[in-house]
Amino acid sequence: MQQKLTRSVLRSAAVLTICVTLKLATPHKAKAVEFEPLTDLQTGIGFTTVLTLGPEDPDPGSNADGCIYAVHGGNGTVHRICFDAAKSVTSNDVVIDLTGGVNNVLGIAIDPDSDPIPPGEIHLYLAYAPDNNAPFQGRIARAVSSDGGISYAVDELFITGLGRSSFDHQTNGLDFGPDSCLYIAQGNNSNTGYDVDHAESRLSSAILRACFKDASGAVNPAFDGDCGAGNTQQACDVEVYASGLRNPFDIVWHSNGALYNSDNDANDGFRDTCGGEANNFGCPCQLITVEPIGDEINRIEQGKYYGSPNPFLANPFGLQCNGGSDGGDFCVVDGDCAGGGLCEDLSFLCTDSVCGDPVQCLYFGDGVPPPTPGEDPNGIYVAPINQSVGSTLDGIAEYRSRFENRFAGSFCSDWNGNLLVTGGPGALRRYSLSADGQSATHEGTAHLNGASGLDVVVGPDGTIYVADLNGGKVAYLEPLTQGDPTAPDFFLFCDAGAEAGAWDPVAEFPSGPASLPVDRSDIATTSLEIGGSDYLFVFGQQGTNEVLRYDVANDSWSSSNDIGTPGAPPNPPFPLNGPPTSNHKAAITFNDDIYIIGGINPFDHDTWTYDGLSDPAPNHGSHIGCNGSTQNCTGADHQGTITDNGLNVGAVAIALLNNQIYIAGGLCNTTGTGSVNCTCDGVVGGTGGNCGGNLSPGENTDRAFRYEPGTDDWFEIASMPIAVDHAAGAAFGGKFYVFGGRQCGQNTACEGRDDTQIYDPASDTWSLGAPMPEGCAGMGAAQVMNNRIYVFGGEGGSCTGTSVQEYNPLTDGWRIFDTPPGQMPDAH
């Protein structure tokens, strides 16, 4: 959803392109994951089943306001409830009213590509079923607003013919995936595969996927959403993504790239006898000798089976009634279809990868042994990652801030990535995920203040909203103000990149920070907290060793050329003389020290440190590639072939990883002192292949190093696959990432590369990840936020310079947010 993302991205990008890392705290914004008492947002809605956050932005200066869409699931009315930053409701209007009496609405989602600013459109989707008199009454309605959410035009039959049991299983939760497709939680038509009234079908007991958009994001006119109606099934463009879910109530695409769902387990005594089942389809009716223990949380993988039988998917060649009043029933001849339907072979419907797998005859749950190889020949069964003893699980959401809001000042928390799950309707509880996302631990209901309901969503300010079914209302938990960052469950409203320590001046100063006192370009920046206050330092303008310092709290700049002495104004002190007068240096902060490395114009091989507390000038450390105590550049194996006075290099990619500083690539000096070290592929000024090869001062190098701050020692690591300079570096998950850069040498702007180069310290090896959507150079440091890495702006050839490129290191996938001036960004 494109909410609260206007000029902030462009303005943040301009700053971040020169930033390496920043370590800033904003105590006035600190909060903890403890909440104010549960408070009503809006009462009088009625049978409140599901809700979602709208993309509307009533106040661009606040993350606490917005609009909630809440559904009266019994009559199909959708309330649009808008509220200000104080959570006071400013409007409550019914904007959609489905026809057809009782509608049983149990799913709602808004397309994240929606643009709420007229003449843009909001696209809203509802999952519902008119009644339980036929097995294929499940539907998806599509509603479109062209006036910012005030009114909607509704297509109630956008997708039809989905499952509906004779009791309370139907088409449930909805969510859009990273592929821009709509994912649908679809209950089964029976209890666990066998029922005397309603048979299973291709599209029941599953997570479904509907990919209906064309390249422009509009509905593809060729999309066929007519999967049948009433008691009739037919071919359509909805596919089975994963099967074996008994009654998956809700789904959520997590920031780790995985899909999670809540699934209602079987009822006690769910199959004590067999006989008269509507759809055996060649599967034996499996008597269950154990009782189910509780609802499940599953990590959904495409093509997998989760333990609740669907005999039709196990054997799609069985005959069944189609049409009449008994659609889906198993049959042998037309006469078996007493309701007037035809006995047909509907196996042509089953084109999904899960079709024809025998494991789908069988029930597996707690107490039932996992399938044997003979029962599961293709190994598609997956057990739940958590099963809740004696509890019901329904609505599910991830506690996190959306990408679109991070740039306006959103929240970071040690709860980020946890799952919040409601209980049917019952107490809201929290589950933490393992690092690999493959298991979930129940953390209980602590801090959740008795919140309960059937559905849950999280706002961009950390507020939790619940659909209180029995109370007929929407209630919320707002984070409780707490200023102690050392407290348990510390909660922080953070600016762009705060999880990695970056600073967004827009959040601090909406009108923009004070301008630099002098022109500066090709500089290195980093930050340091001194005496509880935050300062930004600027190093490396060609021709001067002046240092500029920005006081965040007072929005003011000062210069090392200012008259003053250490300990006197400007106080606290900062370098009165900076490092040598080269530019394109690299800077990074670690353990309250600033490290300034290398540079060009002229080329530099030095490592400088500054502690920010007492040093009148930076301290000279080791040369790049050398031993700190002896400046020995030749004696140790890990220093490779570095000789003479170290490597003269600038415009490197840099990151802090495992308390060590890593640099890679850059421009190095092919003439004069130290030129023998300026190699690519082992050759000075190496040409061709993965080297630039211009054989002039300022050549690309593929050499890479790590620096140990504690000993002032440099160690050479494996060379990069592709020699680049002006690339963006970042650390994530124990690895060093290098994005883009250029290869034309001589500090000349040219086509930006799209390479993703990944260094693994454990094996001292590099690998290549997925290429960037736009090849760019000169992006400064990449920023890590919310399990993603972001690359801002850039230059060179096809690089637009305004895009924000998002990389998911967990899935090796990219998204790009294009932001033409004055427009909202579009994600691709």
Side-chain angles (χ1 to χ4, degrees):
M1 302 175 187
Q2 308 302 330
Q3 37 188 38
K4 304 188 188 302
L5 180 61
T6 52
R7 293 183 298 273
S8 299
V9 165
L10 292 177
R11 297 175 67 183
S12 297
V15 173
L16 290 170
T17 55
I18 63 170
C19 290
V20 172
T21 184
L22 291 165
K23 178 188 173 187
L24 297 180
T26 49
H28 64 286
K29 292 184 178 180
K31 292 194 174 186
V33 186
E34 297 178 4
F35 297 92
E36 303 283 359
L38 185 66
T39 305
D40 292 343
L41 179 71
Q42 179 66 57
T43 61
I45 298 171
F47 193 68
T48 312
T49 52
V50 290
L51 75 171
T52 192
L53 285 162
E56 299 93 326
D57 187 7
D59 179 4
S62 168
N63 277 325
D65 67 315
C67 295
I68 290 278
Y69 288 77
V71 182
H72 185 308
N75 63 19
T77 55
V78 180
H79 290 245
R80 178 178 179 261
I81 304 158
C82 296
F83 49 92
D84 61 22
K87 298 291 191 288
S88 296
V89 172
T90 56
S91 65
N92 172 27
D93 301 297
V94 173
V95 292
I96 298 172
D97 186 1
L98 298 179
T99 61
V102 177
N103 289 283
N104 298 309
V105 181
L106 293 180
I108 185 170
I110 291 179
D111 189 337
D113 290 337
S114 295
D115 181 355
I117 301 176
E121 295 182 345
I122 301 175
H123 301 158
L124 183 149
Y125 297 81
L126 298 169
Y128 73 108
D131 58 54
N132 61 357
N133 293 320
F136 311 120
Q137 289 276 27
R139 300 175 182 175
I140 303 294
R142 182 175 189 265
V144 177
S145 173
S146 299
D147 54 15
I150 297 173
S151 63
Y152 282 84
V154 184
D155 175 5
E156 296 189 13
L157 303 179
F158 182 67
I159 297 175
T160 62
L162 306 181
R164 180 68 169 95
S165 75
S166 60
F167 39 111
D168 58 0
H169 295 180
Q170 62 172 74
T171 309
N172 297 318
L174 305 173
D175 198 13
F176 278 87
D179 54 4
S180 295
C181 298
L182 180 65
Y183 287 75
I184 305 165
Q186 176 60 53
N188 63 13
N189 291 359
S190 61
N191 191 342
T192 53
Y194 304 88
D195 186 82
V196 296
D197 295 312
H198 286 182
E200 298 302 334
S201 69
R202 167 187 167 240
L203 298 178
S204 64
S205 193
I207 302 298
L208 307 177
R209 178 169 65 178
C211 299
F212 48 75
K213 296 183 183 179
D214 61 19
S216 70
V219 174
N220 189 333
F223 172 74
D224 180 7
D226 185 2
C227 304
N231 301 308
T232 303
Q233 301 177 69
Q234 62 189 53
C236 67
D237 291 333
V238 178
E239 62 181 325
V240 178
Y241 185 76
S243 60
L245 288 307
R246 178 180 175 271
N247 188 40
F249 187 85
D250 202 5
I251 51 178
V252 59
W253 276 99
H254 194 278
S255 60
N256 67 10
L259 176 64
Y260 294 89
N261 92 296
S262 56
D263 190 19
N264 301 151
D265 198 7
N267 303 325
D268 291 343
F270 67 98
R271 195 179 307 135
D272 298 323
T273 62
C274 286
E277 287 74 23
N279 57 342
N280 58 12
F281 290 108
C283 292
C285 177
Q286 182 185 12
L287 288 175
I288 305 300
T289 58
V290 298
E291 296 296 347
I293 68 164
D295 287 4
E296 302 173 353
I297 296 176
N298 294 287
R299 186 178 189 271
I300 302 299
E301 300 176 50
Q302 185 173 9
K304 298 298 185 179
Y305 173 70
Y306 290 85
S308 185
N310 185 332
F312 175 71
L313 291 182
N315 179 24
F317 297 99
L319 299 176
Q320 60 180 295
C321 299
N322 200 31
S325 61
D326 51 6
D329 285 4
F330 174 76
C331 60
V332 177
V333 296
D334 288 347
D336 295 332
C337 301
L342 300 177
C343 187
E344 296 181 338
D345 175 359
L346 298 181
S347 59
F348 69 93
L349 298 176
C350 210
T351 59
D352 308 291
S353 62
V354 297
C355 288
D357 198 299
V359 74
Q360 306 215 50
C361 281
L362 306 176
Y363 170 83
F364 296 101
D366 190 82
V368 178
T372 64
E375 294 171 321
D376 186 16
N378 298 309
I380 67 170
Y381 171 72
V382 177
I385 64 172
N386 188 282
Q387 197 156 19
S388 181
V389 178
S391 299
T392 299
L393 303 178
D394 287 312
I396 188 170
E398 180 186 357
Y399 194 77
R400 70 180 177 100
S401 60
R402 292 185 176 89
F403 165 87
E404 288 85 355
N405 291 286
R406 302 303 295 272
F407 296 95
S410 191
F411 69 89
C412 296
S413 161
D414 58 6
W415 279 27
N416 267 5
N418 285 193
L419 297 175
L420 298 176
V421 187
T422 60
L428 181 66
R429 63 201 69 189
R430 178 170 67 95
Y431 294 81
S432 61
L433 294 175
S434 60
D436 62 4
Q438 298 282 355
S439 64
T441 301
H442 183 210
E443 304 291 353
T445 61
H447 305 306
L448 294 173
N449 298 347
S452 65
L454 194 63
D455 199 10
V456 57
V457 294
V458 179
D461 65 336
T463 297
I464 299 170
Y465 301 87
V466 292
D468 187 332
L469 179 73
N470 295 328
K473 61 187 179 182
V474 175
Y476 67 90
L477 292 170
E478 186 173 17
L480 178 69
T481 299
Q482 178 177 324
D484 181 8
T486 65
D489 299 321
F490 174 64
F491 182 99
L492 176 67
F493 277 93
C494 60
D495 303 314
E499 288 176 336
W503 167 63
D504 176 9
V506 177
E508 292 288 341
F509 308 104
S511 62
S515 300
L516 280 166
V518 292
D519 291 339
R520 286 289 180 265
S521 61
D522 298 330
I523 54 180
T525 70
T526 189
S527 70
L528 193 62
E529 182 181 319
I530 305 174
S533 299
D534 299 313
Y535 296 89
L536 172 71
F537 291 88
V538 177
F539 305 90
Q541 173 69 15
Q542 183 177 355
T544 178
N545 61 0
E546 180 185 19
V547 180
L548 302 176
R549 184 184 70 174
Y550 178 67
D551 183 334
V552 176
N554 296 309
D555 188 24
S556 63
W557 287 93
S558 55
S559 165
S560 62
N561 291 341
D562 295 342
I563 297 175
T565 59
N571 185 45
F574 70 104
L576 301 184
N577 294 290
T581 59
S582 58
N583 55 31
H584 287 81
K585 295 180 176 297
I588 204 163
T589 299
F590 171 65
N591 274 359
D592 297 323
D593 288 326
I594 293 175
Y595 292 82
I596 309 154
I597 298 167
I600 64 176
N601 298 321
F603 283 99
D604 190 6
H605 57 196
D606 288 312
T607 305
W608 299 87
T609 60
Y610 169 63
D611 70 10
L613 297 176
S614 59
D615 295 338
N619 297 304
H620 189 276
S622 61
H623 298 163
I624 297 172
C626 299
N627 179 286
S629 60
T630 65
Q631 288 296 357
N632 181 358
C633 296
T634 59
D637 291 340
H638 56 247
Q639 289 152 358
T641 58
I642 290 292
T643 62
D644 197 17
N645 291 315
L647 181 67
N648 291 278
V649 68
V652 300
I654 188 170
L656 181 66
L657 175 64
N658 299 328
N659 296 328
Q660 298 179 78
I661 297 171
Y662 285 75
I663 66 170
L667 289 167
C668 64
N669 190 7
T670 56
T671 64
T673 301
S675 61
V676 67
N677 300 318
C678 186
T679 60
C680 183
D681 197 21
V683 178
V684 176
T687 60
N690 293 318
C691 306
N694 287 299
L695 290 174
S696 61
E699 184 53 84
N700 299 112
T701 182
D702 57 3
R703 304 189 80 161
F705 301 84
R706 65 179 173 87
Y707 174 71
E708 293 189 354
T711 62
D712 190 30
D713 287 340
W714 283 95
F715 299 83
E716 183 157 24
I717 62 177
S719 297
M720 303 175 71
I722 302 168
V724 289
D725 60 88
H726 288 79
F732 180 89
K735 296 180 180 180
F736 176 32
Y737 290 79
V738 178
F739 301 101
R742 61 194 189 207
Q743 208 178 46
C744 46
Q746 306 179 65
N747 193 28
T748 302
C750 61
E751 185 72 25
R753 295 188 63 92
D754 62 3
D755 309 293
T756 299
Q757 304 188 64
I758 308 168
Y759 177 72
D760 184 353
S763 60
D764 189 30
T765 57
W766 290 84
S767 60
L768 295 178
M772 302 168 64
E774 285 184 5
C776 290
M779 303 84 70
Q783 301 295 322
V784 178
M785 297 178 280
N786 206 24
N787 292 324
R788 301 290 196 275
I789 303 175
Y790 294 94
V791 180
F792 300 87
E795 63 184 6
S798 61
C799 181
T800 63
T802 59
S803 296
V804 177
Q805 303 189 67
E806 176 196 75
Y807 178 68
N808 185 341
L810 300 173
T811 62
D812 190 32
W814 285 92
R815 289 194 303 172
I816 185 170
F817 295 81
D818 295 328
T819 314
Q823 297 185 24
M824 303 290 280
D826 295 318
H828 304 295

